[in-house]
Amino acid sequence: MKTNPVTALVKRELSLYLNSPLAYITGILFLLLSGWFFIIPFFLTGRADMRDFFTILPLTYALLIPALTMGQFAGESASGHYEILKTLPLSTGGIILGKFLAVLIFLILMLLPTLSYPLCISLIGTLDWGPVWGGYAGALLLGSSCAAIGLLCSSATDSQVTAFIFSAGICLSFALLDEMGVLLNGKARILIETLSTDTRFDSFTRGILDTRDLLYFLSADFVSFTLLREVLNDKN
């Protein structure tokens, strides 16, 4: 049975991740950070919820996901692997989809061990699972947007370091917009908070599934993918 080219690309990218020390370092750092922000409120304050774990995710993602995406195009362009990739029966959209899905699957693998946190809470105390599932749904949407931005920055340069700096800077800026909003008043403050990923993600962590928040993250993906396609087409 012939393997779908996109599926083959996803498997290739996942294989590269699973054989990359950087990916393991990123995963370990994520689990250490997330574990710290779970243990502190749960064992020291006795709070039976996941709020602190989810609160830190926008900043954690802004630093760790760019590390996963920085070499997706920049590294391949520098080594010539991207030229080989273009000879495969894949459209530009197929290449983008394959690399994006690989990052998203690796992100899911990073999140899976953290499911032990709410399970631990539920065994000891009473846990409201609504905000937990909402938080994980938001975590995937937030991660997809950071991944899309990371892929875009990686495609725009041949330097992995430059790709990391730009993508981390963009993701951090959007995550901290709500903090900047406190310095403003009126419509300017509302606009800044509306564009903040932290504000949009917070709704999910409270168990509120608002279509406006869903559209926010999907729009971020769409804009990033549209620009990414243009960059890759220009390279071709």
Side-chain angles (χ1 to χ4, degrees):
M1 185 176 179
K2 189 175 181 180
T3 304
N4 183 283
V6 174
T7 303
L9 179 58
V10 172
K11 290 180 179 178
R12 170 186 177 272
E13 297 300 325
L14 280 175
S15 176
L16 291 175
Y17 274 139
L18 295 176
N19 289 285
S20 168
L22 178 62
Y24 283 102
I25 292 172
T26 302
I28 291 171
L29 284 174
F30 173 73
L31 291 176
L32 288 175
L33 287 171
S34 64
W36 176 262
F37 283 95
F38 162 70
I39 291 172
I40 293 300
F42 180 57
F43 288 102
L44 296 187
T45 66
R47 284 168 46 194
D49 60 45
M50 296 280 289
R51 288 284 293 169
D52 289 273
F53 165 74
F54 289 125
T55 297
I56 198 63
L57 276 188
L59 295 179
T60 305
Y61 276 4
L63 294 174
L64 297 183
I65 292 182
L68 295 175
T69 59
M70 65 182 185
Q72 284 290 345
F73 290 105
E76 292 196 333
S77 295
S79 64
H81 289 169
Y82 184 66
E83 299 301 320
I84 298 174
L85 187 62
K86 289 192 297 183
T87 64
L88 299 177
L90 277 169
S91 63
T92 301
I95 293 174
I96 293 172
L97 179 61
K99 287 182 173 291
F100 173 73
L101 288 177
V103 177
L104 204 58
I105 291 172
F106 191 82
L107 177 62
I108 292 172
L109 293 177
M110 285 170 51
L111 283 171
L112 280 177
T114 68
L115 288 173
S116 61
Y117 305 157
L119 288 175
C120 178
I121 295 174
S122 65
L123 290 174
I124 299 175
T126 302
L127 176 66
D128 183 357
W129 281 93
V132 173
W133 294 126
Y136 276 106
L140 288 177
L141 288 168
L142 173 64
S144 72
S145 295
C146 290
I149 291 171
L151 291 174
L152 172 60
C153 292
S154 181
S155 71
T157 177
D158 288 336
S159 170
Q160 295 188 47
V161 175
T162 302
F164 173 81
I165 292 173
F166 273 98
S167 54
I170 293 171
C171 292
L172 276 173
S173 296
F174 277 98
L176 296 173
L177 275 178
D178 60 327
E179 302 295 334
M180 303 175 193
V182 299
L183 303 175
L184 302 172
N185 293 308
K187 293 182 179 180
R189 179 172 182 174
I190 295 174
L191 176 61
I192 289 295
E193 291 181 346
T194 298
L195 294 174
S196 170
T197 54
D198 192 48
T199 301
R200 295 296 185 177
F201 178 61
D202 184 64
S203 296
F204 286 95
T205 65
R206 289 185 282 114
I208 301 172
L209 301 181
D210 193 321
T211 54
R212 291 172 297 181
D213 300 323
L214 176 62
L215 287 174
Y216 170 85
F217 288 112
L218 293 180
S219 296
D221 292 348
F222 177 77
V223 172
S224 297
F225 290 147
T226 300
L227 294 174
L228 174 55
R229 179 188 288 271
E230 291 300 317
V231 172
L232 294 181
N233 285 338
D234 287 343
K235 285 186 176 182
N236 295 336

